[in-house]
Amino acid sequence: MRHIRTFLAHTSAWLLTGAAIFIVITVNGWWQPWPDLVPHVATFVVIFLGILYEALPFLTAGALVAAGIHLFVRPEWLRSVLPKHPVLRTISGGLLGILFPVCECGSIPTARSLMQRGAPASFGMAFAMAAPVINPIVLISTSVAFAGVWGWDFVAWRFGLTLMVATVVAQWLPMPATIAPVDNHDHHDEDADEQLPFVQWLAHAAVDWLDMVRYLVVGAVIAASLQVVVPSEVFLAFADTPWLAIPAAMMLAAVMSICSTVDAFVGLSLANTLPPAAVMAFLVFGPIIDLKSIPMFAGLFGWATTLRMLALVVLVTAASCAGLEWLGWL
Amino acid sequence: MALNRVFVAGALFVVAALLLVRTALAQMAFYIHPRYEVLLYFCAAFVFVFALVVMTHRGQLPRATLPIVLVPLLLGGLIVPAPLRSTTLLQQGAALNRVAQRVNSASLDINVATIDTTVWSLYDWAVASSVDIAPLVGRPAKVSGFVVFPGDLGLPPDQLMLARYVLTCCVADAGGVGVRVQWPAAQSLVSDQWVEVTGVMQSIPVGDTVQPLLIATRIEIIDPPKKPYLTTDTPPVSATAP
């Protein structure tokens, strides 16, 4: 009976895929964004799809890594390898991105999987916040962009500040008693025990992906809407006011919602407009949290914790960047 | 099989097909940096597998999956893929050429007297003029881009703005680069028309600044390119210097 069900499902899947490709190709001309839509709506559609198409592969990679952790990392092993001291444990969460080079779309599902396998919430939050920056890919891109412009100090400060912000926020923020599970993980599938590990891995990844893609879509809608309503020039108008340049740069980073793997080059294009401390705030704040990732964080930690986390990240990032500027270290 | 599961699986099949078709037809170049296109094939393959999983497994699906997945499906599937146009540039205000500004001008070793400037893109010209316009005056240029209608920018009737977008990651970070073009028949061109302009670079005072002005000797209407955006990792002008 089960084989028949699987056969029918696979056959209908191929038929559905063929039909889907046919539909996508044939409807490829129904509605022109220009001039059929008003310019703001047309711009929203292009930016929304741009954010989504760019993020989807990384979300997929994150879901696959998260499912692998869920299936193959034993909770007792994870607890045994983590440092016993709480602060060291949180710092180690912030540094784990060196081994898992993922941007924010991949770090959040990975963090949830780590927490579901027994890692403390502070460890998972530090990883989710810091991994988009503390990884080899971003180290290289930041070095290429800034080492020749503002020196290696600037590159080092980006990593140091990100780790500091992630550690301080994750260590001091009161964590929820339980982490929101993926719906499917609470529901026992009677076939699961008979399945090959590879099939179980894909099943976990599929549900993780479906769970997180909901938040990604909502975040991309918000980010694209704000980009259309509030152009980047509005934020950069504050560039000449020293005490406003840092918060303006942070708001710009949140609205742009760009991938941390290449945001250094966008930061470089702002370097003639903004002071170094504001560019640093752009590079530290954006990868930690942006409009695209706020709903994803809320899906993991709940809205109350996420909003407290957002407030703390804003305060610590702004204060530390302003402090570096005041000390003349940037 | 629950009806919701069939619909979710069906939606995922269409998402996979959408990613596959858009990437294969090079339409993703309207939205993201080309470096990510290969990743979308990988993504489409896994979304296809996830759709299979949704069909064959009996575990619960996350709540409200279908209506949220339908949002990108409808916007990406029913609306014809198209790049950003001049209206977006006008909405962004005075951001033109900011993406090309350089902090450390010493890092750009521009010896324009010995380089072939006709191979420069609008991005190259914008980067070079952000350093110093004087050495560029008198140099030949051959650049392509879309027209921003003179009336939209308040330019004189014999001038138009030739512009392109430059990407680092995706259209969310797109910034415009452009140059004023002097052409007696500028009024005969319309916004978003793609043209190739041949001419000689000069400069013109605009307010307190000096900006490049391309004196056109020939303007040819061309088809929109398959990859409408320039990228910040396009070899910069310094790479072509001896």
Side-chain angles (χ1 to χ4, degrees):
Chain A
M1 191 65 195
R2 187 166 158 248
H3 292 300
I4 294 172
R5 196 180 77 196
T6 306
F7 172 77
L8 286 174
H10 282 228
T11 307
S12 51
W14 285 110
L15 288 173
L16 271 172
T17 304
I21 291 174
F22 177 77
I23 290 167
V24 167
I25 291 173
T26 51
V27 302
N28 194 21
W30 269 11
W31 205 5
Q32 296 281 349
W34 281 278
D36 291 358
L37 303 177
V38 293
H40 282 82
V41 176
T43 303
F44 162 80
V45 171
V46 177
I47 294 177
F48 165 74
L49 291 174
I51 293 174
L52 196 73
Y53 289 147
E54 191 276 329
L56 275 178
F58 296 99
L59 182 75
T60 306
L64 293 170
V65 171
I69 290 170
H70 192 88
L71 281 180
F72 304 118
V73 174
R74 285 177 289 121
E76 57 273 22
W77 176 83
L78 189 61
R79 278 192 290 270
S80 71
V81 297
L82 293 181
K84 300 291 178 266
H85 192 283
V87 175
L88 289 180
R89 202 165 49 213
T90 305
I91 293 173
S92 68
L95 291 171
L96 193 61
I98 294 168
L99 299 180
F100 292 106
V102 287
C103 61
E104 59 270 33
C105 298
S107 70
I108 296 172
T110 306
R112 173 167 61 188
S113 200
L114 285 167
M115 289 184 284
Q116 285 173 338
R117 303 315 280 168
S122 57
F123 178 91
M125 183 180 275
F127 171 78
M129 287 194 289
V133 171
I134 312 288
N135 71 63
I137 297 167
V138 178
L139 173 65
I140 292 168
S141 65
T142 309
S143 307
V144 170
F146 282 102
V149 178
W150 284 335
W152 285 98
D153 291 0
F154 189 89
V155 179
W157 275 119
R158 182 184 191 191
F159 293 91
L161 281 186
T162 303
L163 185 60
M164 187 272 286
V165 172
T167 304
V168 167
V169 173
Q171 188 60 39
W172 286 351
L173 195 69
M175 292 293 171
T178 55
I179 297 301
V182 182
D183 298 341
N184 186 52
H185 292 174
D186 285 347
H187 180 89
H188 184 69
D189 183 347
E190 56 266 39
D191 294 341
D193 296 337
E194 304 167 18
Q195 290 164 349
L196 295 170
F198 179 70
V199 178
Q200 288 184 44
W201 172 62
L202 289 175
H204 275 287
V207 180
D208 273 348
W209 189 89
L210 281 172
D211 191 48
M212 277 295 156
V213 83
R214 299 177 304 164
Y215 302 113
L216 174 64
V217 169
V218 173
V221 166
I222 297 169
S225 306
L226 267 176
Q227 276 220 24
V228 172
V229 176
V230 190
S232 58
E233 288 309 295
V234 172
F235 300 107
L236 296 174
F238 299 106
D240 295 333
T241 312
W243 60 277
L244 282 178
I246 289 174
M250 289 162 61
M251 280 193 279
L252 180 62
V255 171
M256 287 182 92
S257 296
I258 49 175
C259 182
S260 63
T261 53
V262 292
D263 67 349
F265 298 102
V266 180
L268 182 64
S269 73
L270 299 171
N272 232 12
T273 312
L274 294 171
V279 176
M280 179 61 73
F282 177 89
L283 295 175
V284 170
F285 184 75
I288 290 179
I289 196 160
D290 57 33
L291 290 179
K292 178 184 63 186
S293 65
I294 285 174
M296 297 169 80
F297 271 110
L300 180 53
F301 293 105
W303 276 104
T305 304
T306 301
L307 292 177
R308 280 197 290 266
M309 176 188 130
L310 175 63
L312 256 182
V313 173
V314 167
L315 281 176
V316 178
T317 306
S320 53
C321 290
L324 287 181
E325 187 178 38
W326 184 69
L327 291 167
W329 290 355
L330 278 180
Chain B
M1 202 183 307
L3 201 56
N4 178 54
R5 182 174 295 278
V6 175
F7 281 127
V8 170
L12 290 184
F13 282 123
V14 182
V15 169
L18 191 71
L19 295 175
L20 187 69
V21 171
R22 292 275 182 269
T23 312
L25 296 179
Q27 292 165 334
M28 285 298 177
F30 299 159
Y31 304 103
I32 58 173
H33 190 294
R35 79 165 80 88
Y36 297 117
E37 287 180 5
V38 67
L39 297 180
L40 282 165
Y41 285 115
F42 147 87
C43 186
F46 274 102
V47 173
F48 172 77
V49 172
F50 294 161
L52 277 178
V53 167
V54 168
M55 290 191 80
T56 53
H57 283 246
R58 281 181 281 178
Q60 283 181 355
L61 297 176
R63 284 182 295 273
T65 301
L66 186 61
I68 295 180
V69 169
L70 282 179
V71 173
L73 203 60
L74 294 175
L75 293 180
L78 296 183
I79 294 177
V80 180
L84 291 174
R85 297 179 66 169
S86 61
T87 46
T88 310
L89 200 70
L90 297 167
Q91 287 162 21
Q92 288 181 348
L96 197 68
N97 290 331
R98 198 191 61 225
V99 69
Q101 289 180 351
R102 287 294 177 271
V103 187
N104 188 354
S105 58
S107 65
L108 289 171
D109 179 21
I110 303 170
N111 185 3
V112 289
T114 58
I115 10 179
D116 179 12
T117 51
T118 58
V119 299
W120 281 9
S121 68
L122 277 177
Y123 180 51
D124 292 323
W125 281 105
V127 170
S129 15
S130 77
V131 178
D132 188 7
I133 292 180
L136 308 177
V137 171
R139 299 298 303 165
K142 188 176 183 182
V143 284
S144 59
F146 59 83
V147 172
V148 185
F149 188 65
D152 293 340
L153 291 171
L155 299 179
D158 64 341
Q159 288 182 16
L160 59 98
M161 183 67 76
L162 186 70
R164 286 188 81 162
Y165 288 100
V166 180
L167 294 191
T168 301
C169 178
C170 66
V171 286
D173 67 71
V177 290
V179 66
R180 283 171 183 244
V181 177
Q182 187 162 311
W183 177 247
Q187 296 287 338
S188 66
L189 299 169
V190 295
S191 275
D192 298 304
Q193 200 165 29
W194 278 81
V195 293
E196 185 178 76
V197 180
T198 308
V200 177
M201 197 61 76
Q202 297 293 332
S203 64
I204 181 173
V206 178
D208 297 335
T209 62
V210 177
Q211 292 185 5
L213 174 71
L214 178 55
I215 310 294
T217 53
R218 181 167 182 263
I219 288 188
E220 184 185 355
I221 296 170
I222 58 173
D223 291 331
K226 285 188 174 176
K227 293 186 176 177
Y229 309 127
L230 300 169
T231 60
T232 50
D233 49 14
T234 307
V237 285
S238 56
T240 58

